[in-house]
Amino acid sequence: MTRLSWRGLAGWLLLGAVSFGALAGDAGPAHWKPDIDAFAAGDRAQAPATRGVLFIGSSSVRLWTTLAADFPGVPVIDRGFGGSTIADATYYADRIVWPYQPRLIVMYAGDNDIAAGVAPAQVLAAFRAFVARARQGVPGVPVVYVSIKPSLARLPLWPSMKEANERIRAWAITQQDVRFVDIAPAMTDAQGRPRAELFRPDGLHMTPAGYALWVAALKPVLAEYGFAAGPPAQ
């Protein structure tokens, strides 16, 4: 199955056109299988925390190397794999969500979906499919969606990203334990442009200053779900 056809399938899953069980013999987004296998091998070598906070998504999660230090005292798991889409996380949820039985999921994905030409409405459909898939294995798990960030490298795509954000925000309001955290205002200047100091030279991935803004936005949300972070390490 190609990446584009799998993204389309994510929307159908939500509508019940195809059952998840029917995917058992499907190769799915096979280009990510080595990454998923590496997560499984790491889990066997050292079992990660269960009933904690699962951070999942694309490279902005994968590169969050200070995640544990940023949320001291909170059992966090990083399952970001760079370049992935929402549909990729949905497909592999049985391997990178269900085994940890998280009490909270924080997702950052959708950036790469828009970059690949996925329409904002389909980004929402993909996120709805992810929530449904995650809750198949972890019933009722709260899911926090970190908004697609404005970035220098993808500035021409920002109108579509912003529309996807607004669609997800509007849907989240109608759902039980689905939260939308908008990080765009803190990452833009007075003219509405991405703040250059928040990005690495590639204009896409973030510096520690960028992650600091995410931490500030997420700490109170995690605390609402019983994960109050301690003071930063000195």
Side-chain angles (χ1 to χ4, degrees), residues 17 35 42 46 48 84 88 139 146 150 172 181 195 207 215:
D35 298 75
Q46 182 174 356
S84 62
D88 294 325
V146 178
V181 174
R195 293 165 51 190
T207 63
V215 173

Side-chain angles (χ1 to χ4, degrees), residues 7 24 38 52 55-56 69 72 75 100-101 113 120 122 130 132 142 144-145 149 161 172 195 198 203 234:
R7 292 191 189 101
F55 286 75
I56 192 168
Y100 313 122
Q101 291 295 298
D113 302 60
Q122 287 306 112
F130 172 79
V144 175
Y145 184 84
K149 68 182 185 296
M161 292 175 171
R195 293 165 51 190
L198 303 179
Q234 298 298 318

Side-chain angles (χ1 to χ4, degrees), residues 61-147:
V61 178
R62 180 179 64 83
L63 297 172
W64 200 339
T65 57
T66 59
L67 187 62
D70 288 338
F71 298 96
V74 176
V76 297
I77 305 170
D78 187 325
R79 286 297 174 266
F81 45 119
S84 62
T85 65
I86 298 173
D88 294 325
T90 303
Y91 187 90
Y92 286 111
D94 60 331
R95 299 188 64 190
I96 58 174
V97 177
W98 297 359
Y100 313 122
Q101 291 295 298
R103 285 171 49 207
L104 182 65
I105 296 172
V106 177
M107 167 173 266
Y108 181 81
D111 201 323
N112 295 319
D113 302 60
I114 295 292
V118 177
Q122 287 306 112
V123 175
L124 168 60
F127 178 59
R128 292 176 64 176
F130 172 79
V131 173
R133 174 73 159 153
R135 288 177 172 175
Q136 275 199 326
V138 194
V141 61
V143 181
V144 175
Y145 184 84
V146 178
S147 68

Side-chain angles (χ1 to χ4, degrees), residues 60 63 149-153 183-190 192-215:
S60 291
L63 297 172
K149 68 182 185 296
S151 65
L152 298 169
I183 46 78
M187 296 189 70
T188 51
D189 60 21
R193 289 183 57 85
R195 293 165 51 190
E197 73 273 15
L198 303 179
F199 295 93
R200 299 182 182 189
D202 64 8
L204 179 62
H205 299 104
M206 295 187 298
T207 63
Y211 283 111
L213 295 177
W214 287 29
V215 173

